[in-house]
Amino acid sequence: MANTVLETTELRRSPAAHLTDIMAAATVTGERAVALREVAFTTQLGIRAIPGSRGHQVVAAATGVGLPERVGEVSGDVQDTAVLWLGPDEFLLTAPEGSGLLPELITALGEEPGQVLDLSANRSVLELQGPAASLVLRKSCPADLHPRQFQVNQAIVTTLANVPVLLWRSAEQTWRIMPRVSFTEHTVHWLIDAMREFASPEVD
């Protein structure tokens, strides 16, 4: 059994694995630096629980970081466990691979109304980082990305290049972009194309 698990792990491929080289080649350095990479194999758990219910309370406690209460709010931290607000009773938990949280949350919820699902294969996770990252996103994202409006550790459902995405500002100059897996290649190529402007010399 151990050998089978090892072979499966070695054979798997993340949604943007075949795009690693072109993402690296698109990296821009200097004052207008920006870089794109994939954060592969994150744990992603879909949670449904009605605020104020017993199910909401027990699942919130089991996450270790609680459940966010309003639009844009994120509980926790990008480096560990975090929970993004998707709707009044819908949340997305993200954590590093191998977190083991799925059985813990299912056990905590028990027979209470609600739902916990493994959605790890549902979305890819792309990370755009650098002083020019927000300028790249503004080319096709309708959300207000001004720092006073979109603060660190906030996340919303929006669109990028006409693709629905979760957009998470995980640090001052770092954004996580989470499209459905089937839109990964389109999103990566659009971002790379949008980054090219910043590789060109600035014109006075």
Side-chain angles (χ1 to χ4, degrees):
M1 179 64 71
N3 289 338
T4 301
V5 172
L6 179 60
E7 291 171 3
T8 301
T9 301
E10 291 177 344
L11 289 172
R12 68 181 179 172
R13 294 291 182 271
S14 63
H18 63 298
L19 304 169
T20 299
D21 290 344
I22 66 169
M23 287 191 287
T27 298
V28 178
T29 59
E31 293 184 2
R32 303 197 300 172
V34 61
L36 177 65
R37 72 180 184 103
E38 180 187 24
V39 183
F41 307 123
T42 59
T43 295
Q44 299 179 48
L45 305 180
I47 300 171
R48 299 297 296 263
I50 299 174
S53 68
R54 171 65 179 165
H56 186 280
Q57 294 172 1
V58 296
V59 171
T63 66
V65 297
L67 296 176
E69 298 179 354
R70 59 185 64 86
V71 177
E73 187 173 319
V74 177
S75 301
D77 181 80
V78 69
Q79 300 301 329
D80 195 6
T81 300
V83 184
L84 286 62
W85 190 98
L86 302 184
D89 66 345
E90 185 177 6
F91 313 90
L92 181 70
L93 180 147
T94 72
E97 183 182 15
S99 66
L101 283 170
L102 178 61
E104 295 181 17
L105 295 184
I106 291 176
T107 298
L109 183 61
E111 298 300 318
E112 298 293 335
Q115 190 176 62
V116 179
L117 294 174
D118 187 351
L119 300 178
S120 301
N122 191 36
R123 293 180 183 272
S124 58
V125 181
L126 305 172
E127 187 174 82
L128 192 69
Q129 183 177 35
S134 65
L135 299 178
V136 170
L137 294 173
R138 287 176 188 178
K139 292 186 177 186
S140 184
C141 180
D144 186 349
L145 305 183
H146 191 281
R148 286 198 296 269
Q149 179 66 28
F150 205 132
Q151 299 178 6
V152 173
N153 214 30
Q154 288 189 339
I156 61 169
V157 178
T158 184
T159 61
L160 182 71
N162 297 319
V163 170
V165 298
L166 285 175
L167 183 62
W168 178 7
R169 189 179 183 195
S170 56
E172 191 68 33
Q173 296 181 346
T174 305
W175 302 77
R176 286 201 170 183
I177 304 150
M178 303 169 68
R180 303 288 184 184
V181 166
S182 58
F183 290 111
T184 301
E185 187 154 357
H186 169 80
T187 305
V188 167
H189 282 293
W190 184 90
L191 286 166
I192 288 173
D193 186 61
M195 290 164 62
R196 287 196 178 100
E197 170 193 344
F198 302 97
S200 302
E202 295 188 35
V203 179
D204 294 330

